[in-house]
Structure formats: C-alpha cells, structure tokens
Amino acid sequence: LLGHSHIYTPSHFPHTHTEKERVCRMEQVQQVLQIVQQKARGLVGEAVPELVESSEAVAAAWRGVDQWRASGSVAVSTLFHTFLSAEPLEGAVQLMLLLAFLCWIFSVVSANYSQVDRLWSLAPALYVWHFALSASPLLPSLSSSLPSCPLTPSRLAALTTGKEVAEVATEVGEAVVAVGTLLVAVVNSIPLRLRLMALLSSVWGLRLSYNFYRKGGYNPKDEDYRWEHVQKMMPSFLFPLFNISFIALYQNFLLLLLALPAYPALLAALYQNFLLLLLALPAYPALLAALAKRSSSSSSPSAENELVTLDYVAVGLFVVLWLGETVADQQQWWFHKDKAIRRTGKDKSKRSKEREDDLERGFLTRGLFRFSRHPNFFCEISLWWAFYLFSVAASGVWLNYSVLGAVLLTLLFQGSTNFTESLSLAKYPDYALYQARVSRLIPLWPSALPPPSKSKAKSKTN
C-alpha cells in the first residue's frame, strides 16, 4: 500500500456526485498516504538497528544451541560407545546401578517409596532386550549407520519457503524409513531363542504395565500401602537405610536377576561351546558331564538359531502362566470395582450370591482365588521359573547361576505374602477361615467356605 499510492485515481471514487468532488477526495487520500509513508519510514529507521541487534542475538543463540547439541551428541555418542564396548553383563549392571540410584533419589525427594514399583514391569524386559541386542552382529556399527538428523535448530530457523519445508519433510521421512529398516535388520540378526525371550518378556511387561496403570500406579502420589506399615514397624533412623539398601538397590538387583537367564542364551549365541567353560564356576560337576556329552555329539543344542524341546516347553509354560496371571488380575480388578461401587452407598447392581458374599467378607474367594489365595503371585513366580528354562536349554546345564533371580523372587514373595496376609487378617474377620480352607500359593482343590460372618471388616480399604 505504501509503495503503490499512485494507483489511486479518480476512477476509484465512482459514487461522488461531481468530477471536482472526486478529485478532491483523491487528493485527500494521497495526502494521508504521504503522511503514513513518512511516519512508517521513520519508525522503520528507528527499528532497524534494534532488529539487526536482535537478529544477531538470535543467530548467536542458535549457534549456541548448535554447539550445545554438538557437544551433547559427542557426550551421548561417547556414552553409547562405552556402553556397547562393555561386556553385556557389565553394561546391564551399570544400568541397574543407575536405575537404583535414580529410584533412591526420587524416593527421598518425593517421600514416596514406590519408585521401583513403576519399574517392575519395565526393567526385566529392558535387560532382556539389552542381552538380545548384544548378540546382534550389526549392533556395534549401529551408531555409525544411523542417518544424521535433518532437524537441526539452525536449519529450522532458516526455513522461509514452502519448498524448503517440503525438502526437510522429505529428508525426515527418508531418515525414519532408514532407521526403521536398520532396526528391523538388527532384530532379525538376533538369535531366535533370544528373540523369543525378548518377545515374551515384553508381552509380560506390557500387560503388567497396563494393569499397574489402570490401578493408578503411575500416579506420582500413589504409594504401596505396605510401606507405611513398614515405616511404623522400625525405628525412624533405620528406614532410610532400608530404603537405599532393600527398596532401591536390592529390588533393582532382583529385576536384573530375573532377566539373567537371557545371558547364558547370549553367551551360547556368541561363544557356543565356550559357554560351557564359562559356566564351570557355578555348576562345575554338571559342566564336566555336559562337556563329556557334548564332545561325543556332533550337534550342539545351543546352535544359534536352533531350538530344542526345552525351549518349546518354556514358551508353553510361560504363555499359560501369563494367561493365568492375566485372568487373576482381571478378576481382582472386577472385585475392587465392585467394592468401590459399594462404598459409594449408591450401589444398585444385581449380583450373584457368591459375589455378594465376597463383598461381605471384604476379599475375593471366587474364580482362581478359590484354588489359591494368591494365584497371581503363584503365576508371577512360576513364570520366571519357566523363563529360566531358556537358560537351561541354551547352556545344557540344569542348574546355573541365572537361577538366582527366580530363587530370590520366590523368597521375596514369601516374605511379602506373609506381610500382606498379616494385614488382611487384621482387617477381615473371615480371612483366617479362608487361610484354613484354601492353599496359600499353589492352586489346589479347596474345602467349601461357609457363608460370611456378620461381623464387619475393621477397614473398608483393601
């Protein structure tokens, strides 16, 4: 508009009555435009130095971002190469110590001691994938094979036309396809047994994460109710030591041990028969017998992509136990929803007599809980024993060091089950009778339960 004031002619004012009036109106507009031009030029003249300074500051800021990004990329690349160059078990231990430290820090800062609970369904699968990827011959060259990211800050700041945006979008699409293709190639290069173990642990972790999420477990304010009771049971100066040693460190160590059966499978894929020598320390007599048997056999059960019968047994048991835990958790979820509705005082639902009896008792006795007081605990423990069978199939040794995770998990559940049941006994008058009639962990045919007693539970929360 400022540069094209000459386009305004008398023809732009067709509705004035006379030619003289049209000319007068046009002259008035021309004068106004000249005043606007002068004012605008003055404002621009004053603003140019500031704009130059601002653009220089912005450019310097982008250069700083680029330098920070470059130094950050070097640091990340260095850590990545260090992690890759470390022996896989050593790398897993380093990761475990880092997670334990972070859990401890967050628990101290937030005064919430359920930080490890949020990792429980994620960390074992993470460690298994770490071992699985370590067996890929493509992994060492992964960082050098990845395409560079086209979305640098300086380039984004320089985008001015639609054509440049389209070019960057095309490069991003090509980079995504290249990364996806490379990751598929890396996964396909993992030995079959380790791929199976990674898949099963991931399926387990996703289901457990969903179950934990719908209970509100990932809410930063959510905390396992048992920790409050534990704090009351020990001196105040002792609980911080318990937090750092057992809650943060030991439980993270246990999560690593649960994934440890993948390590012999990794070694079998990398070293095959040399694995037997590495297994000598924890199971030396069995090792010697296996060596004698292996030396007289022309085929190796731990060949990279060959599964043996025990692998199929492990898969079958894992899937059955995973389904059992899923069903038990779902039955418990429905029961707790019924309890929540009952507590509102507006419950108009029609239920079977068995469901009403359980709500009167305050705890679940139907479904899988008819055969075991803790069927989900039983399936969780047994599932990791089934996972250990992969280690046996890979090593040829029935008892090796990777059994430690399953053993310690079993012991942990013994203690936590005792503690949980002591709280249930204090809350629910009928729980002692339930204990007398129904198996604790291993599903067994139960004795019939009498109707719930008339006395009410001491607490309305579970």
Side-chain angles (χ1 to χ4, degrees):
L1 183 64
L2 296 178
H4 297 84
S5 59
H6 61 278
I7 66 174
Y8 292 93
T9 64
S11 62
H12 287 85
F13 305 95
H15 300 295
T16 52
H17 297 289
T18 65
E19 182 69 19
K20 184 178 179 180
E21 290 176 343
R22 285 198 296 269
V23 171
C24 182
R25 293 287 182 89
M26 188 271 291
E27 290 176 351
Q28 290 175 353
V29 171
Q30 295 284 6
Q31 291 173 1
V32 171
L33 288 174
Q34 288 175 2
I35 295 172
V36 171
Q37 284 178 330
Q38 293 173 358
K39 292 291 184 181
R41 290 191 181 107
L43 291 173
V44 171
E46 295 173 1
V48 163
E50 297 180 5
L51 289 173
V52 171
E53 292 178 5
S54 299
S55 62
E56 291 176 352
V58 171
W62 281 123
R63 286 195 297 271
V65 170
D66 276 338
Q67 293 173 359
W68 174 83
R69 176 180 170 275
S71 60
S73 298
V74 171
V76 171
S77 178
T78 302
L79 288 174
F80 186 70
H81 283 292
T82 302
F83 186 70
L84 288 181
S85 61
E87 201 275 335
L89 184 57
E90 179 185 345
V93 171
Q94 293 171 355
L95 181 58
M96 180 273 296
L97 292 174
L98 174 63
L99 292 177
F101 175 74
L102 292 176
C103 286
W104 174 67
I105 289 293
F106 281 117
S107 69
V108 172
V109 171
S110 64
N112 185 322
Y113 303 99
S114 287
Q115 305 303 325
V116 181
D117 295 347
R118 296 172 174 84
L119 292 177
W120 194 271
S121 58
L122 304 174
L126 177 65
Y127 295 131
V128 174
W129 273 107
H130 165 66
F131 290 133
L133 290 171
S134 297
S136 170
L138 301 180
L139 189 65
S141 59
L142 181 62
S143 59
S144 60
S145 304
L146 289 173
S148 59
C149 179
L151 298 177
T152 59
S154 57
R155 188 173 184 187
L156 289 175
L159 292 179
T160 57
T161 66
K163 183 179 179 181
E164 291 176 345
V165 173
E167 289 176 355
V168 171
T170 301
E171 291 180 24
V172 170
E174 292 173 349
V176 170
V177 172
V179 170
T181 303
L182 185 60
L183 291 178
V184 169
V186 169
V187 172
N188 285 336
S189 69
I190 297 173
L192 182 56
R193 179 181 290 116
L194 280 166
R195 266 185 283 167
L196 269 176
M197 298 177 78
L199 174 64
L200 291 174
S201 62
S202 298
V203 170
W204 166 85
L206 289 172
R207 189 211 67 83
L208 200 60
S209 296
Y210 169 70
N211 193 58
F212 191 61
Y213 161 77
R214 66 179 178 175
K215 292 179 178 179
Y218 291 110
N219 184 336
K221 297 181 180 179
D222 183 77
E223 185 180 33
D224 190 329
Y225 69 96
R226 290 173 293 188
W227 294 135
E228 181 181 354
H229 293 277
V230 171
Q231 283 182 279
K232 294 176 181 178
M233 293 168 56
M234 60 177 59
S236 58
F237 72 90
L238 195 58
F239 188 78
L241 297 176
F242 179 77
N243 178 31
I244 192 173
S245 60
F246 176 81
I247 299 178
L249 185 59
Y250 176 77
Q251 289 193 114
N252 271 288
F253 178 61
L254 176 57
L255 294 177
L256 171 60
L257 292 181
L258 292 178
L260 201 58
Y263 187 62
L266 164 66
L267 294 179
L270 294 178
Y271 311 117
Q272 297 193 15
N273 287 334
F274 183 65
L275 164 69
L276 299 176
L277 179 59
L278 297 178
L279 294 175
L281 290 178
Y284 191 62
L287 167 71
L288 296 179
L291 276 174
K293 182 178 180 180
R294 184 65 54 81
S295 62
S296 62
S297 174
S298 58
S299 62
S300 170
S302 57
E304 188 166 295
N305 280 314
E306 179 183 342
L307 298 181
V308 297
T309 303
L310 195 56
D311 287 306
Y312 296 106
V313 172
V315 171
L317 287 174
F318 190 100
V319 170
V320 169
L321 292 164
W322 178 83
L323 289 173
E325 187 177 12
T326 301
V327 171
D329 281 343
Q330 187 62 41
Q331 290 174 345
Q332 200 169 49
W333 172 256
W334 286 331
F335 173 72
H336 284 295
K337 285 188 70 175
D338 281 348
K339 287 182 70 174
I341 294 172
R342 175 66 61 88
R343 282 196 292 265
T344 63
K346 301 177 181 180
D347 184 17
K348 298 180 180 179
S349 304
K350 293 183 179 180
R351 304 184 182 89
S352 64
K353 183 179 183 303
E354 291 78 9
R355 290 176 66 184
E356 288 293 342
D357 285 348
D358 278 352
L359 288 174
E360 289 296 323
R361 293 186 182 97
F363 54 90
L364 183 60
T365 66
R366 294 172 294 105
L368 295 181
F369 291 82
R370 180 188 175 195
F371 306 97
S372 167
R373 302 199 298 272
H374 305 281
N376 45 355
F377 290 2
F378 169 78
C379 291
E380 176 74 3
I381 295 169
S382 303
L383 180 147
W384 290 106
W385 280 99
F387 197 74
Y388 166 70
L389 294 179
F390 286 112
S391 168
V392 177
S395 66
V397 179
W398 279 97
L399 184 62
N400 62 68
Y401 56 86
S402 66
V403 76
L404 188 58
V407 171
L408 292 181
L409 182 71
T410 304
L411 295 176
L412 177 68
F413 267 97
Q414 300 306 313
S416 65
T417 302
N418 287 339
F419 184 58
T420 301
E421 293 209 328
S422 68
L423 298 177
S424 297
L425 274 172
K427 288 193 288 186
Y428 308 120
D430 288 338
Y431 200 81
L433 185 60
Y434 180 55
Q435 286 180 311
R437 302 293 182 93
V438 178
S439 171
R440 183 167 182 263
L441 286 174
I442 300 174
L444 297 174
W445 195 261
S447 303
L449 284 173
S453 63
K454 298 298 182 181
S455 57
K456 299 294 182 181
K458 296 180 182 179
S459 172
K460 295 194 176 185
T461 59
N462 189 20

